[in-house]
Amino acid sequence: MLSADGEPLARKYYSEKTERDLDADQMVRGYEIEKGKYVVITDEELERLAPDKTRDIDLKRFVPQESIPPVYFERGYFLTPSAGSEKAYKLLAETMEKEGKAGLATFVMRGKEYLVAIFAEHGILRAETMRFPDELRSPADVDLPKKKKVPPAMVRKFEKLISNKSKKQLSARKLEDEQTEKLLKLVKKKSAQRKNVVEVETGKRDEGKVIDLMAVLKKSLAGKG
């Protein structure tokens, strides 16, 4: 079988050999063009298609910020100017913010080309990596129920509920990770009680040695350390 995303999978052999018995030279990459039919892609062909390694961000065009649906956003990064480009960075950020524009660009990371949207906020440029259209699922893909007529009384009930729960602006305190806060309180409490506190010897760093913290913890819980 071949992988549509480029990852190697075992080719199906009509013999007594199982997938576990396959050698590395019997593994291939491929792209599924239809059910059960694949086009084989070699490593050499993938290398020729790979984008050139660069640390530059290739700015393609500018569009209104509101024209980019948030559903495309994946992960955010702050952009910093390289040496000698501070003035250009500041000018670009100020102009984009004033015009309400976002930049669409591409950059290469770990051998893969990414599409990003660049926003300017308070003189700082921020990049959001974006999903490509074929990576998004539509409402039809998740089989949502068809829209039904709702009684006016129920509509008013939900309008009242939303109104009562509405705030003028988002509070950062509402974004706190409550589970992490509870965990930190537990750690602080146990640390104060010296309960299940594990001390690991620290000395000259040995690059070739990894401390097994689980082993240290088990030893401590068993009363041996």
PDB file of all heavy atoms in Angstrom, residues 19-37:
ATOM      1  N   GLU A  19       3.898  -7.790   5.722  1.00  0.00           N
ATOM      2  CA  GLU A  19       4.437  -6.440   5.768  1.00  0.00           C
ATOM      3  C   GLU A  19       5.618  -6.348   6.736  1.00  0.00           C
ATOM      4  O   GLU A  19       6.534  -5.565   6.541  1.00  0.00           O
ATOM      5  CB  GLU A  19       3.342  -5.447   6.178  1.00  0.00           C
ATOM      6  CG  GLU A  19       2.302  -5.254   5.095  1.00  0.00           C
ATOM      7  CD  GLU A  19       1.324  -4.150   5.425  1.00  0.00           C
ATOM      8  OE1 GLU A  19       1.478  -3.553   6.508  1.00  0.00           O
ATOM      9  OE2 GLU A  19       0.428  -3.882   4.623  1.00  0.00           O
ATOM     10  N   ARG A  20       5.598  -7.150   7.790  1.00  0.00           N
ATOM     11  CA  ARG A  20       6.688  -7.107   8.767  1.00  0.00           C
ATOM     12  C   ARG A  20       7.988  -7.624   8.179  1.00  0.00           C
ATOM     13  O   ARG A  20       9.063  -7.321   8.661  1.00  0.00           O
ATOM     14  CB  ARG A  20       6.305  -7.938   9.996  1.00  0.00           C
ATOM     15  CG  ARG A  20       5.164  -7.339  10.811  1.00  0.00           C
ATOM     16  CD  ARG A  20       4.871  -8.184  12.024  1.00  0.00           C
ATOM     17  NE  ARG A  20       3.787  -7.622  12.819  1.00  0.00           N
ATOM     18  CZ  ARG A  20       3.305  -8.179  13.929  1.00  0.00           C
ATOM     19  NH1 ARG A  20       3.829  -9.312  14.366  1.00  0.00           N
ATOM     20  NH2 ARG A  20       2.322  -7.613  14.586  1.00  0.00           N
ATOM     21  N   ASP A  21       7.885  -8.450   7.122  1.00  0.00           N
ATOM     22  CA  ASP A  21       9.074  -9.044   6.534  1.00  0.00           C
ATOM     23  C   ASP A  21       9.699  -8.171   5.457  1.00  0.00           C
ATOM     24  O   ASP A  21      10.760  -8.484   4.929  1.00  0.00           O
ATOM     25  CB  ASP A  21       8.736 -10.407   5.913  1.00  0.00           C
ATOM     26  CG  ASP A  21       8.248 -11.400   6.963  1.00  0.00           C
ATOM     27  OD1 ASP A  21       8.759 -11.339   8.091  1.00  0.00           O
ATOM     28  OD2 ASP A  21       7.348 -12.199   6.660  1.00  0.00           O
ATOM     29  N   LEU A  22       9.038  -7.075   5.102  1.00  0.00           N
ATOM     30  CA  LEU A  22       9.532  -6.254   4.005  1.00  0.00           C
ATOM     31  C   LEU A  22      10.817  -5.533   4.379  1.00  0.00           C
ATOM     32  O   LEU A  22      10.979  -5.060   5.485  1.00  0.00           O
ATOM     33  CB  LEU A  22       8.473  -5.224   3.606  1.00  0.00           C
ATOM     34  CG  LEU A  22       7.202  -5.801   2.969  1.00  0.00           C
ATOM     35  CD1 LEU A  22       6.197  -4.695   2.752  1.00  0.00           C
ATOM     36  CD2 LEU A  22       7.516  -6.500   1.658  1.00  0.00           C
ATOM     37  N   ASP A  23      11.709  -5.434   3.401  1.00  0.00           N
ATOM     38  CA  ASP A  23      12.964  -4.718   3.584  1.00  0.00           C
ATOM     39  C   ASP A  23      12.774  -3.259   3.194  1.00  0.00           C
ATOM     40  O   ASP A  23      11.789  -2.887   2.550  1.00  0.00           O
ATOM     41  CB  ASP A  23      14.066  -5.353   2.728  1.00  0.00           C
ATOM     42  CG  ASP A  23      14.312  -6.807   3.116  1.00  0.00           C
ATOM     43  OD1 ASP A  23      14.219  -7.111   4.337  1.00  0.00           O
ATOM     44  OD2 ASP A  23      14.563  -7.624   2.217  1.00  0.00           O
ATOM     45  N   ALA A  24      13.764  -2.429   3.566  1.00  0.00           N
ATOM     46  CA  ALA A  24      13.672  -0.996   3.272  1.00  0.00           C
ATOM     47  C   ALA A  24      13.569  -0.734   1.778  1.00  0.00           C
ATOM     48  O   ALA A  24      12.872   0.183   1.340  1.00  0.00           O
ATOM     49  CB  ALA A  24      14.888  -0.273   3.855  1.00  0.00           C
ATOM     50  N   ASP A  25      14.256  -1.563   0.955  1.00  0.00           N
ATOM     51  CA  ASP A  25      14.222  -1.328  -0.491  1.00  0.00           C
ATOM     52  C   ASP A  25      12.913  -1.771  -1.125  1.00  0.00           C
ATOM     53  O   ASP A  25      12.699  -1.598  -2.330  1.00  0.00           O
ATOM     54  CB  ASP A  25      15.406  -2.021  -1.174  1.00  0.00           C
ATOM     55  CG  ASP A  25      15.415  -3.528  -0.938  1.00  0.00           C
ATOM     56  OD1 ASP A  25      14.552  -4.010  -0.166  1.00  0.00           O
ATOM     57  OD2 ASP A  25      16.273  -4.210  -1.519  1.00  0.00           O
ATOM     58  N   GLN A  26      12.033  -2.357  -0.329  1.00  0.00           N
ATOM     59  CA  GLN A  26      10.716  -2.764  -0.827  1.00  0.00           C
ATOM     60  C   GLN A  26       9.623  -1.794  -0.390  1.00  0.00           C
ATOM     61  O   GLN A  26       8.441  -2.047  -0.603  1.00  0.00           O
ATOM     62  CB  GLN A  26      10.381  -4.181  -0.325  1.00  0.00           C
ATOM     63  CG  GLN A  26      11.310  -5.248  -0.891  1.00  0.00           C
ATOM     64  CD  GLN A  26      11.077  -6.586  -0.223  1.00  0.00           C
ATOM     65  OE1 GLN A  26      10.937  -6.683   0.989  1.00  0.00           O
ATOM     66  NE2 GLN A  26      11.022  -7.632  -1.036  1.00  0.00           N
ATOM     67  N   MET A  27      10.052  -0.696   0.223  1.00  0.00           N
ATOM     68  CA  MET A  27       9.113   0.339   0.656  1.00  0.00           C
ATOM     69  C   MET A  27       9.074   1.437  -0.393  1.00  0.00           C
ATOM     70  O   MET A  27      10.100   1.817  -0.941  1.00  0.00           O
ATOM     71  CB  MET A  27       9.556   0.925   1.995  1.00  0.00           C
ATOM     72  CG  MET A  27       9.810  -0.119   3.076  1.00  0.00           C
ATOM     73  SD  MET A  27       8.322  -0.830   3.753  1.00  0.00           S
ATOM     74  CE  MET A  27       7.814   0.479   4.840  1.00  0.00           C
ATOM     75  N   VAL A  28       7.872   1.938  -0.693  1.00  0.00           N
ATOM     76  CA  VAL A  28       7.730   2.980  -1.700  1.00  0.00           C
ATOM     77  C   VAL A  28       6.829   4.088  -1.182  1.00  0.00           C
ATOM     78  O   VAL A  28       6.112   3.922  -0.203  1.00  0.00           O
ATOM     79  CB  VAL A  28       7.150   2.409  -3.013  1.00  0.00           C
ATOM     80  CG1 VAL A  28       8.124   1.446  -3.662  1.00  0.00           C
ATOM     81  CG2 VAL A  28       5.805   1.738  -2.760  1.00  0.00           C
ATOM     82  N   ARG A  29       6.887   5.236  -1.856  1.00  0.00           N
ATOM     83  CA  ARG A  29       6.005   6.351  -1.545  1.00  0.00           C
ATOM     84  C   ARG A  29       5.065   6.546  -2.727  1.00  0.00           C
ATOM     85  O   ARG A  29       5.387   6.194  -3.853  1.00  0.00           O
ATOM     86  CB  ARG A  29       6.811   7.634  -1.322  1.00  0.00           C
ATOM     87  CG  ARG A  29       7.849   7.562  -0.219  1.00  0.00           C
ATOM     88  CD  ARG A  29       8.666   8.839  -0.190  1.00  0.00           C
ATOM     89  NE  ARG A  29       9.797   8.755   0.707  1.00  0.00           N
ATOM     90  CZ  ARG A  29       9.767   9.110   1.979  1.00  0.00           C
ATOM     91  NH1 ARG A  29       8.652   9.579   2.508  1.00  0.00           N
ATOM     92  NH2 ARG A  29      10.840   9.032   2.740  1.00  0.00           N
ATOM     93  N   GLY A  30       3.918   7.121  -2.438  1.00  0.00           N
ATOM     94  CA  GLY A  30       2.999   7.322  -3.540  1.00  0.00           C
ATOM     95  C   GLY A  30       1.860   8.248  -3.185  1.00  0.00           C
ATOM     96  O   GLY A  30       1.708   8.658  -2.026  1.00  0.00           O
ATOM     97  N   TYR A  31       1.062   8.603  -4.182  1.00  0.00           N
ATOM     98  CA  TYR A  31      -0.075   9.491  -3.994  1.00  0.00           C
ATOM     99  C   TYR A  31      -1.307   8.806  -4.575  1.00  0.00           C
ATOM    100  O   TYR A  31      -1.309   8.341  -5.718  1.00  0.00           O
ATOM    101  CB  TYR A  31       0.171  10.825  -4.706  1.00  0.00           C
ATOM    102  CG  TYR A  31      -0.850  11.880  -4.376  1.00  0.00           C
ATOM    103  CD1 TYR A  31      -0.643  12.767  -3.338  1.00  0.00           C
ATOM    104  CD2 TYR A  31      -2.033  11.980  -5.110  1.00  0.00           C
ATOM    105  CE1 TYR A  31      -1.579  13.733  -3.016  1.00  0.00           C
ATOM    106  CE2 TYR A  31      -2.978  12.946  -4.799  1.00  0.00           C
ATOM    107  CZ  TYR A  31      -2.748  13.819  -3.752  1.00  0.00           C
ATOM    108  OH  TYR A  31      -3.682  14.768  -3.440  1.00  0.00           O
ATOM    109  N   GLU A  32      -2.361   8.735  -3.763  1.00  0.00           N
ATOM    110  CA  GLU A  32      -3.585   8.065  -4.194  1.00  0.00           C
ATOM    111  C   GLU A  32      -4.373   8.995  -5.117  1.00  0.00           C
ATOM    112  O   GLU A  32      -4.782  10.092  -4.732  1.00  0.00           O
ATOM    113  CB  GLU A  32      -4.438   7.694  -2.984  1.00  0.00           C
ATOM    114  CG  GLU A  32      -5.664   6.871  -3.358  1.00  0.00           C
ATOM    115  CD  GLU A  32      -6.447   6.424  -2.134  1.00  0.00           C
ATOM    116  OE1 GLU A  32      -6.355   7.103  -1.089  1.00  0.00           O
ATOM    117  OE2 GLU A  32      -7.147   5.408  -2.229  1.00  0.00           O
ATOM    118  N   ILE A  33      -4.588   8.577  -6.357  1.00  0.00           N
ATOM    119  CA  ILE A  33      -5.340   9.387  -7.316  1.00  0.00           C
ATOM    120  C   ILE A  33      -6.805   8.976  -7.377  1.00  0.00           C
ATOM    121  O   ILE A  33      -7.662   9.764  -7.774  1.00  0.00           O
ATOM    122  CB  ILE A  33      -4.709   9.305  -8.713  1.00  0.00           C
ATOM    123  CG1 ILE A  33      -4.572   7.843  -9.158  1.00  0.00           C
ATOM    124  CG2 ILE A  33      -3.350   9.999  -8.722  1.00  0.00           C
ATOM    125  CD1 ILE A  33      -4.060   7.699 -10.593  1.00  0.00           C
ATOM    126  N   GLU A  34      -7.094   7.769  -6.984  1.00  0.00           N
ATOM    127  CA  GLU A  34      -8.461   7.286  -6.835  1.00  0.00           C
ATOM    128  C   GLU A  34      -8.421   6.032  -5.986  1.00  0.00           C
ATOM    129  O   GLU A  34      -7.350   5.520  -5.686  1.00  0.00           O
ATOM    130  CB  GLU A  34      -9.127   7.017  -8.189  1.00  0.00           C
ATOM    131  CG  GLU A  34      -8.424   5.971  -9.046  1.00  0.00           C
ATOM    132  CD  GLU A  34      -9.104   5.787 -10.389  1.00  0.00           C
ATOM    133  OE1 GLU A  34      -8.992   6.688 -11.245  1.00  0.00           O
ATOM    134  OE2 GLU A  34      -9.768   4.752 -10.563  1.00  0.00           O
ATOM    135  N   LYS A  35      -9.583   5.555  -5.578  1.00  0.00           N
ATOM    136  CA  LYS A  35      -9.645   4.420  -4.659  1.00  0.00           C
ATOM    137  C   LYS A  35      -8.861   3.233  -5.208  1.00  0.00           C
ATOM    138  O   LYS A  35      -9.176   2.687  -6.276  1.00  0.00           O
ATOM    139  CB  LYS A  35     -11.111   4.018  -4.435  1.00  0.00           C
ATOM    140  CG  LYS A  35     -11.319   2.949  -3.392  1.00  0.00           C
ATOM    141  CD  LYS A  35     -11.076   3.477  -1.993  1.00  0.00           C
ATOM    142  CE  LYS A  35     -11.454   2.441  -0.937  1.00  0.00           C
ATOM    143  NZ  LYS A  35     -11.193   2.924   0.429  1.00  0.00           N
ATOM    144  N   GLY A  36      -7.823   2.829  -4.483  1.00  0.00           N
ATOM    145  CA  GLY A  36      -7.047   1.664  -4.859  1.00  0.00           C
ATOM    146  C   GLY A  36      -6.031   1.889  -5.961  1.00  0.00           C
ATOM    147  O   GLY A  36      -5.375   0.952  -6.399  1.00  0.00           O
ATOM    148  N   LYS A  37      -5.880   3.130  -6.437  1.00  0.00           N
ATOM    149  CA  LYS A  37      -4.921   3.409  -7.502  1.00  0.00           C
ATOM    150  C   LYS A  37      -3.964   4.507  -7.049  1.00  0.00           C
ATOM    151  O   LYS A  37      -4.396   5.564  -6.599  1.00  0.00           O
ATOM    152  CB  LYS A  37      -5.642   3.846  -8.774  1.00  0.00           C
ATOM    153  CG  LYS A  37      -4.695   4.029  -9.974  1.00  0.00           C
ATOM    154  CD  LYS A  37      -5.460   4.434 -11.220  1.00  0.00           C
ATOM    155  CE  LYS A  37      -6.321   3.294 -11.745  1.00  0.00           C
ATOM    156  NZ  LYS A  37      -6.965   3.652 -13.034  1.00  0.00           N
TER     157      LYS A  37
END
